[in-house]
């Protein structure tokens, strides 16, 4: 079909055409054969060498991802009604897959919700947004008030939207880093006077800091994996490594663990975990320690004994590029090997990776190597992924990132 629309046209290579028709929404700079002049972040039509319409998306003149596809429908009109429909679809999906438990959830998950480069999380009365594409940056003055109004009209208490654009990756789009409250005065919403709010997940209460929390404040993708940990924790002595603000530790304590030790390298995170333990009434069974896990696990081995019969490993992404995958796998192996050696026969291990570059196959092979070197065998209880409010879009491998395994070690 020859394209006759008014947007500037970007002609792409056969390789890009194959990727787009296979479902992936990105065109890389090396895949552009020809391009008409367009403003940075503007909409462009992507066509094949033969003039076939492949989609419409945002162009980024500074990024290796040159075009991010927004729609593959040549009849779409990109007005306020279009974006409201997209937002409504995303919100209705969350209400369905989370059975209405949407007081804390991911509301927009970038490409998986057809909003390329946009993440929006909800934490009680606040939304937290991160904008990683110049196209979304251009339309956010229209998009963010639409989203807030949509949720408020659905009976949700939303008092503010905080932008967490304090990430270096924005430079790839030619965007500056920043953070702060988005102006919602058009909706008669004043700027909130605190960045702290409280959420409840799996019956556990958390104080979250939308200004200073890691990434977009709190890791919502592990919601149901935390439930799985809680089911195994009753009566056990638990070591939660890379605890952040204590989420797995708190679920284990609420699940009836005899004692939980929560460890993180960040003093600020550990202090927040202590506060969360107090709020949930489990501080008598949970202690929080600021330590480097890579140092702590060998030290525990030197001290001897098998004081923990359940170890949880929830590290940050050790790799954010293909180049650093081998080093990341060595890091994953080190902590998993140490944990397996520390556990008594019949102990339990929860372990995960949140980097899509370290694929599931790589992660499984690493675990097998670690078990072999530790002289143990792994009995798999469950293999899990991210919570469904972080949907996996087939054809877009980047949306399939979280690997989570529960084992008995013997």
């Amino acid at each position: 079909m020859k394209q006759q629309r008014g947007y500037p046209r970007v002609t792409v290579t056969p390789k890009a055409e194959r990727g787009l028709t296979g479902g992936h929404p990105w065109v890389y700079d090396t895949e552009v054969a020809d391009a008409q002049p367009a403003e940075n972040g503007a909409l462009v039509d992507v066509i094949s060498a033969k003039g076939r319409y492949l989609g419409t998306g945002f162009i980024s003149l500074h990024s290796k991802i040159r075009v991010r596809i927004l729609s593959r429908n040549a009849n779409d009109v990109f007005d306020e009604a279009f974006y409201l429909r997209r937002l409504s679809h995303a919100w209705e999906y969350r209400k369905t897959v989370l059975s209405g438990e949407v007081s804390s959830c991911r509301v927009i998950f970038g490409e998986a919700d057809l909003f390329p480069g946009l993440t929006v999380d909800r934490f009680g009365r606040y939304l937290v947004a991160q904008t990683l594409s110049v196209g979304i940056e251009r339309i956010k003055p229209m998009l963010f008030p639409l989203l807030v109004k949509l949720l408020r009209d659905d009976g949700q208490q939303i008092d503010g939207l905080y932008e967490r654009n304090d990430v270096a990756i924005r430079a790839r789009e030619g965007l500056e880093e920043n953070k702060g409250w988005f102006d919602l005065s058009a909706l008669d919403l004043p700027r909130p006077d605190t960045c702290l709010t409280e959420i409840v997940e799996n019956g556990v209460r958390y104080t979250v800091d939308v200004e200073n929390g890691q990434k977009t404040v709190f890791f919502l993708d592990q919601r149901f994996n935390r439930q799985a940990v809680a089911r195994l924790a009753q009566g056990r002595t638990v070591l939660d490594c890379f605890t952040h603000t204590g989420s797995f530790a708190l679920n284990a304590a609420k699940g009836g663990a005899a004692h939980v030790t929560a460890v993180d390298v960040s003093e600020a995170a550990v202090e927040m975990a202590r506060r969360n333990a107090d709020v949930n009434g489990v501080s008598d069974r949970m202690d929080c320690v600021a330590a480097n896990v890579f140092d702590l696990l060998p030290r525990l081995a030197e001290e001897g004994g098998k004081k923990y019969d359940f170890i949880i490993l929830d590290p940050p992404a050790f790799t954010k590029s293909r180049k650093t995958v081998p080093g990341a796998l060595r890091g994953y192996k080190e902590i998993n090997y140490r944990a397996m050696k520390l556990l008594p026969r019949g102990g339990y291990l929860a372990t995960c990776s949140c980097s899509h570059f370290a694929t599931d196959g790589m992660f499984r092979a690493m675990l097998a190597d670690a078990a072999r070197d530790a002289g143990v065998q792994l009995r798999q209880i469950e293999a899990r992924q991210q919570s469904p409010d972080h949907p996996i879009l087939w054809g877009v491998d980047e949306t399939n990132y979280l690997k989570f395994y529960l084992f008995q070690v013997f």
Side-chain angles (χ1 to χ4, degrees):
M1 180 180 75
K2 294 289 184 180
Q3 186 63 7
Q4 302 296 328
R5 292 155 60 106
Y7 297 117
R9 287 180 291 177
V10 173
T11 305
V12 298
T13 64
K15 179 183 178 183
E17 182 179 1
R18 289 192 297 272
L20 292 173
T21 55
H24 204 283
W26 295 347
V27 175
Y28 290 94
D29 57 351
T30 56
E31 298 172 336
V32 174
D34 186 47
Q36 294 179 337
E39 292 182 13
N40 194 25
L43 289 171
V44 296
D45 283 334
V46 178
I47 61 172
S48 71
K50 295 182 178 180
R52 177 189 177 193
Y53 173 74
L54 300 173
T56 301
F58 298 116
I59 191 167
S60 175
L61 302 180
H62 303 289
S63 175
K64 289 184 178 180
I65 304 174
R66 189 51 46 93
V67 182
R68 298 172 186 258
I69 296 297
L70 180 65
S71 171
R72 301 172 192 271
N73 185 344
N75 296 315
D76 273 336
V77 177
F78 302 102
D79 55 9
E80 189 172 291
F82 168 85
Y83 291 107
L84 181 58
R85 284 196 303 274
R86 281 274 171 95
L87 293 170
S88 298
H89 292 161
W91 180 239
E92 290 301 319
Y93 168 83
R94 268 70 189 178
K95 291 197 294 183
T96 299
V97 299
L98 297 178
S99 302
E101 297 295 324
V102 289
S103 62
S104 60
C105 66
R106 177 147 293 181
V107 180
I108 302 292
F109 185 40
E111 279 74 358
D113 286 301
L114 309 181
F115 282 100
L118 176 65
T119 298
V120 181
D121 287 340
R122 182 186 180 186
F123 301 101
R125 61 198 182 103
Y126 295 152
L127 299 179
V128 177
Q130 192 169 83
T131 307
L132 302 180
S133 76
V134 65
I136 294 292
E137 186 82 8
R138 279 172 61 115
I139 67 169
K140 73 182 185 183
M142 173 268 295
L143 196 63
F144 289 171
L146 267 185
L147 176 58
V148 172
K149 186 176 186 303
L150 170 69
L151 269 59
R152 286 170 63 88
D153 287 349
D154 194 42
Q156 308 296 316
Q157 182 183 351
I158 304 295
D159 295 336
L161 185 151
Y162 196 88
E163 293 191 87
R164 286 297 302 268
N165 291 327
D166 50 339
V167 285
I169 195 172
R170 276 172 59 92
R172 300 179 189 176
E173 296 280 315
L175 299 172
E176 295 180 354
E177 294 185 40
N178 59 73
K179 63 179 182 177
W181 292 106
F182 183 82
D183 183 6
L184 292 170
S185 57
L187 299 178
D188 294 325
L189 284 175
R191 173 179 169 146
D193 57 6
T194 177
C195 291
L196 299 179
T197 187
E198 184 177 277
I199 64 171
V200 179
E201 181 196 84
N202 301 340
V204 180
R205 296 166 59 194
Y206 301 91
T207 299
V208 295
D209 182 344
V210 300
E211 179 183 13
N212 299 308
Q214 291 184 22
K215 293 182 72 175
T216 53
V217 182
F218 181 85
F219 299 105
L220 297 164
D221 51 4
Q222 298 271 29
R223 176 196 298 229
F224 296 113
N225 299 337
R226 290 190 269 262
Q227 282 185 348
V229 160
R231 289 195 296 270
L232 290 178
Q234 185 170 9
R236 305 198 179 279
T237 303
V238 180
L239 176 64
D240 177 23
C241 299
F242 310 97
T243 194
H244 189 217
T245 55
S247 55
F248 273 109
L250 290 162
N251 276 263
K254 284 280 194 176
H259 191 81
V260 182
T261 300
V263 181
D264 198 276
V265 72
S266 165
E267 291 276 4
V270 167
E271 182 54 37
M272 185 69 80
R274 289 193 186 100
R275 273 188 268 167
N276 287 331
D278 288 339
V279 166
N280 286 278
V282 296
S283 55
D284 60 327
R285 292 182 291 116
M286 177 173 158
D287 63 292
C288 305
V289 178
N292 186 321
V293 171
F294 284 92
D295 296 331
L296 175 69
L297 294 178
R299 187 165 72 246
L300 290 173
E302 291 172 3
E303 293 172 357
K306 304 284 186 179
K307 66 183 293 187
Y308 299 106
D309 54 6
F310 191 176
I311 297 178
I312 303 161
L313 300 174
D314 181 23
F318 286 165
T319 176
K320 296 185 179 180
S321 73
R322 286 183 177 84
K323 294 179 181 178
T324 57
V325 166
L329 291 172
R330 288 193 293 272
Y332 286 125
K333 182 178 178 181
E334 170 68 11
I335 58 174
N336 280 277
Y337 164 80
R338 295 289 182 182
M340 292 173 192
K341 291 286 285 183
L342 278 175
L343 286 166
R345 178 179 173 83
Y348 291 87
L349 173 67
T351 184
C352 62
S353 164
C354 60
S355 171
H356 84 270
F357 291 107
T359 66
D360 186 54
M362 294 175 184
F363 193 66
R364 290 171 64 93
M366 175 279 299
L367 289 170
D369 285 346
R372 188 180 306 111
D373 289 355
V376 302
Q377 192 162 10
L378 302 177
R379 179 151 56 193
Q380 182 176 312
I381 303 166
E382 288 188 80
R384 306 177 64 89
Q385 293 176 294
Q386 63 242 39
S387 175
D389 53 333
H390 298 63
I392 297 168
L393 191 62
W394 279 41
V396 186
D397 291 343
E398 291 81 1
T399 63
N400 184 5
Y401 66 95
L402 183 62
K403 286 76 62 180
F404 182 92
Y405 286 90
L406 279 171
F407 296 109
Q408 187 177 40
V409 178
F410 63 97

